Each structure stands twice: as structure tokens, then as C-alpha cells.
Amino acid sequence: MKIEKLTEQEISSIKEIQQSRSNLIEKYGLIEISIQDLELQKQEVNEELKEIKLIELELSKELQAKYGIGTINIDSGEFIGNEWF
């Protein structure tokens, strides 16, 4: 079996590649953690959206029961009924 010594440049190149790979793995891990954090935030926002939709639906039902079918002008606070319904 023949044993040969690598040059300093070759050793340096190998170490640079190993360090670069290690840095990329660390960056990838940080990115993955950020993605998971964002996914959790997204789930929380989706839950909030569901709650808002339920509240909106309930209010819509209450207003329709009180005023009938129509539209509301938020700026003036007026309800405009649809006479054909």
C-alpha cells in the first residue's frame, strides 16, 4: 500500500469545502426553522380568519333577520333594502 502526502493547497481546499458545506447545513437549518415558524404563524392566522368569518356570518344573519336583504353603507350607517326580495 502506497501512502502519499497531500500538499498544503490540497488540504486547504478540502478544509474550505468542508467548511462551506458545514455553513450551508447551518444556513439550511436556520431556514427550515424559519419556515416552521412561518407555518405556525400561518396556522394561527387561518384560525383567526375562521373566527372572523364565523362572527361575520352571525352578524350577517342577525342584520338580515332585523332589516331583511339589502346592502349597508358603512360610511353613512344606512341600510338599503332590496325590494324585490
Side-chain angles (χ1 to χ4, degrees), residues 1-5:
M1 176 161 67
K2 182 178 177 182
I3 297 176
E4 292 189 49
K5 201 96 162 124

Side-chain angles (χ1 to χ4, degrees), residues 30-82:
L30 293 173
I31 290 169
E32 194 59 39
I33 288 170
S34 294
I35 289 171
Q36 290 177 13
D37 285 344
L38 289 171
E39 286 293 332
L40 286 174
Q41 289 178 25
K42 182 179 176 183
Q43 288 175 359
E44 290 172 0
V45 168
N46 281 334
E47 289 302 315
E48 288 178 34
L49 179 60
K50 286 178 188 177
E51 288 178 31
I52 290 171
K53 285 183 176 184
L54 288 174
I55 292 168
E56 180 182 39
L57 181 61
E58 187 62 33
L59 179 58
S60 175
K61 287 179 182 178
E62 289 174 15
L63 293 174
Q64 186 173 352
K66 184 174 182 178
Y67 297 104
I69 296 175
T71 58
I72 296 172
N73 182 329
I74 292 295
D75 295 327
S76 68
E78 296 175 328
F79 172 81
I80 300 122
N82 291 343

Side-chain angles (χ1 to χ4, degrees), residues 16-31:
E16 283 179 26
I17 291 170
Q18 288 175 334
Q19 186 61 48
S20 293
R21 182 182 298 266
S22 178
N23 290 342
L24 284 175
I25 290 170
E26 183 179 343
K27 286 179 185 179
Y28 183 81
L30 293 173
I31 290 169

